[in-house]
Amino acid sequence: MKKVIAVSTINITAFVLLIIEIFVKDMTMGVITFLLWLLSLFGWLYLLYAKLSQIRIERFSEKIEALDRTDLKYVGLLAMYDYLKGNSVDPTFLQEQMKKVYFFTKKEYSFPEKIKKSDFYDKVIYYYLTLTHDAIPNSFFWDWNENYYTWRFIFLTFVSGVVGIALSVVCYHYIPHPNDVLYTALYFIFGALLIPGIAKFFGHFL
């Protein structure tokens, strides 16, 4: 919640400065406004990534807990999952199971406690996919497979970019003496939001 409040505050400040800048037309204020918009953009994308990553892990946990623990195929997978959840796991057995998975490097299976938890989850999900071929997305930002998370991200960024460019064009033509530098920066920011949708189109449909 604190991160949401912080990003929202930056966003509101950037919006207020944008309104002031349109009428005052001060270069210094324009640069500050641009930087605040850029900071808020990355802030919202980070919050979106964190939220969807959390949902992804929750869905993965539901699926893996429904697996049959008596099935020998899932012994190693479940040992890694139990380790991530903080359950008691024989470290020697865990390392032996990790050695069988090519996702893990020698350094990682030798010292599993040093692996970043999010990275460990990613590799366990990869392993889960190889065993079950289930529809858990294997990444969020640059996953070109057709899955819920990627399409949600594509839709959100593309709509935000189109709306932002449209509003910038309207303001440019109807507010007298606009600041061209500021509007160029806004076109750049909102145009960048269109890139994932364009890449998705050429990478998935063509």
Side-chain angles (χ1 to χ4, degrees):
M1 182 58 70
K2 292 181 179 179
K3 293 179 181 179
V4 174
I5 294 174
V7 175
S8 299
T9 301
I10 295 173
N11 218 157
I12 293 171
T13 304
F15 181 76
V16 172
L17 289 179
L18 174 61
I19 300 300
I20 297 174
E21 166 62 17
I22 289 175
F23 294 99
V24 175
K25 297 181 287 294
D26 179 73
M27 179 63 70
T28 302
M29 184 178 292
V31 173
I32 295 174
T33 303
F34 169 71
L35 292 176
L36 285 176
W37 274 109
L38 195 62
L39 182 61
S40 67
L41 171 64
F42 283 114
W44 286 118
L45 290 178
Y46 169 77
L47 291 175
L48 176 65
Y49 175 83
K51 181 61 178 178
L52 295 183
S53 296
Q54 178 186 350
I55 295 173
R56 171 180 173 236
I57 291 176
E58 290 174 355
R59 288 189 59 195
F60 167 67
S61 298
E62 292 174 359
K63 288 176 177 289
I64 198 170
E65 287 177 5
L67 294 177
D68 182 7
R69 285 185 171 267
T70 62
D71 191 334
L72 296 179
K73 182 172 68 172
Y74 302 127
V75 170
L77 174 67
L78 291 169
M80 297 173 203
Y81 175 73
D82 288 339
Y83 174 78
L84 279 171
K85 298 295 287 186
N87 299 330
S88 178
V89 179
D90 181 3
T92 303
F93 177 74
L94 176 66
Q95 291 176 338
E96 290 176 353
Q97 295 303 314
M98 291 174 67
K99 286 180 183 179
K100 299 176 183 179
V101 183
Y102 73 88
F103 302 141
F104 294 102
T105 64
K106 182 177 181 180
K107 182 179 179 180
E108 288 175 330
Y109 63 67
S110 299
F111 305 98
E113 69 280 359
K114 294 184 179 181
I115 306 177
K116 188 178 178 181
K117 192 171 184 178
S118 59
D119 294 337
F120 209 139
Y121 258 114
D122 284 339
K123 295 193 175 185
V124 173
I125 291 176
Y126 283 132
Y127 187 35
Y128 172 84
L129 282 170
T130 62
L131 295 177
T132 64
H133 304 290
D134 200 359
I136 292 290
N138 53 11
S139 64
F140 166 67
F141 199 87
W142 295 119
D143 180 8
W144 304 113
N145 299 314
E146 185 175 0
N147 62 63
Y148 173 72
Y149 300 106
T150 300
W151 281 109
R152 171 189 276 187
F153 175 74
I154 294 299
F155 176 77
L156 181 63
T157 55
F158 193 83
V159 170
S160 299
V162 170
V163 172
I165 291 175
L167 288 176
S168 299
V169 171
V170 171
C171 292
Y172 183 88
H173 288 288
Y174 288 95
I175 295 178
H177 308 295
N179 187 316
D180 289 344
V181 175
L182 177 62
Y183 277 95
T184 300
L186 289 176
Y187 291 143
F188 173 79
I189 292 173
F190 291 121
L193 293 176
L194 301 178
I195 294 177
I198 296 172
K200 182 73 174 182
F201 176 78
F202 284 101
H204 189 77
F205 292 109
L206 298 185

